[in-house]
């Protein structure tokens, strides 16, 4: 077995090198199944949404009308197109549209590149189309959505990386700098418990606590 980097255990975080992190996926107190040691936190981007007020993701929220930026907490169905504010790094900022086209279940064997600590985890592939709506230069940016359990519950696992040939997190192409430009990409998630049934957009202060969700 070839491992990617090292393994670090924590009560709320398990890291397999550069590849795998098992942790509390949100503010819930769901714990990882490993022995305790000092905790750590996953990085989060900070792009406050100024388009609309924050909403509780548990509340019923209708899909945003065509052309409107989706408010925090808005719920969509898989196949729906959501317009969202987007920031990448310190210089790239604009408006994108994201269409989650599928949440596909993989096989436990697919997780082999992450090492023995990934045993018992089932991967899920969140496939999406990303469009440049605002026309600003967002070339070479990248977007990840997070997988959630039914109802938006955390999985307890965060994966950093992808599975080449099965779920590739693509970088936006060079020409993703004009209105209407688009590309397709995939976000990798995994669970040791219930199936992943929700894709979650959590980027920016307005959405980190009240994400936009896609469900089947």
């Amino acid at each position: 077995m070839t491992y990617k980097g090292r393994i670090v255990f924590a009560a709320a975080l398990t890291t397999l090198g550069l590849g795998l992190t098992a942790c509390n996926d949100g503010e819930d107190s769901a714990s990882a199944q490993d022995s305790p040691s000092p905790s750590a936190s996953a990085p989060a981007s900070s792009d406050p949404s100024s388009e609309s007020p924050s909403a509780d993701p548990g509340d019923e929220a209708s899909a945003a009308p065509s052309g409107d930026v989706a408010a925090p907490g808005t719920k969509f169905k898989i196949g729906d197109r959501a317009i969202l504010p987007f920031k990448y790094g310190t210089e790239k900022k604009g408006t994108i549209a994201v269409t989650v086209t599928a949440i596909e279940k993989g096989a436990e064997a697919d997780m082999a590149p992450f090492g023995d600590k990934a045993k018992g985890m089932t991967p899920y592939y969140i496939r999406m189309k990303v469009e440049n709506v605002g026309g600003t230069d967002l070339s070479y940016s990248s977007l990840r959505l997070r997988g959630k359990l039914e109802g938006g519950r955390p999985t307890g696992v965060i994966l950093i990386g992808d599975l080449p040939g099965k779920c590739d997190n693509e970088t936006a192409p060079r020409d993703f700098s004009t209105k209407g430009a688009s590309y397709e990409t995939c976000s990798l998630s995994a669970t040791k418990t219930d199936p992943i049934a929700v894709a979650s957009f959590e980027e920016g202060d307005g959405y980190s606590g009240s994400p936009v969700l896609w469900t089947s």
Side-chain angles (χ1 to χ4, degrees):
M1 178 72 67
T2 300
Y3 289 84
K4 289 186 175 181
R6 58 193 180 88
I7 303 173
V8 179
F9 297 98
L13 185 70
T14 303
T15 304
L16 273 67
L18 299 177
L20 173 62
T21 304
C23 73
N24 286 348
D25 189 359
E27 297 181 1
D28 297 30
S29 58
S31 60
Q33 301 177 3
D34 299 304
S35 57
S37 68
S39 61
S41 59
S45 56
S46 57
D47 181 22
S49 171
S50 59
E51 300 292 341
S52 44
S54 223
D56 187 339
D59 294 341
E60 289 299 324
S62 60
S66 177
D68 291 348
V69 171
T74 303
K75 295 178 182 178
F76 292 93
K77 293 293 186 181
I78 292 174
D80 288 345
R81 179 176 181 266
I83 298 177
L84 300 163
F86 180 68
K87 183 178 180 180
Y88 185 77
T90 59
E91 298 180 356
K92 294 184 183 291
K93 183 176 181 180
T95 304
I96 60 174
V98 178
T99 304
V100 175
T101 57
I103 300 177
E104 296 177 0
K105 181 181 179 181
E108 182 181 336
D110 295 345
M111 296 295 292
F114 287 100
D116 284 345
K117 290 303 175 182
K119 287 182 177 178
M121 291 185 183
T122 301
Y124 284 78
Y125 310 138
I126 301 173
R127 304 195 187 279
M128 73 196 90
K129 178 182 178 181
V130 185
E131 303 170 61
N132 189 331
V133 172
T136 57
D137 184 2
L138 298 175
S139 56
Y140 306 115
S141 61
S142 64
L143 171 70
R144 285 186 181 272
L145 301 183
R146 185 168 293 184
K148 299 283 189 177
L149 306 183
E150 190 72 35
R153 293 177 293 124
T155 63
V157 178
I158 296 176
L159 296 175
I160 303 171
D162 51 18
L163 290 174
K166 295 184 180 294
C167 187
D168 295 289
N169 187 249
E170 302 288 353
T171 299
R174 182 174 59 183
D175 62 358
F176 197 64
S177 57
T178 58
K179 187 173 182 179
S182 66
Y183 71 101
E184 295 183 357
T185 186
C186 180
S187 288
L188 176 64
S189 289
T191 176
K192 278 189 172 182
T193 56
D194 297 333
I196 289 175
V198 179
S200 176
F201 173 83
E202 306 177 5
E203 297 196 12
D205 290 346
Y207 297 88
S208 59
S210 188
V212 168
L213 305 176
W214 287 263
T215 62
S216 57

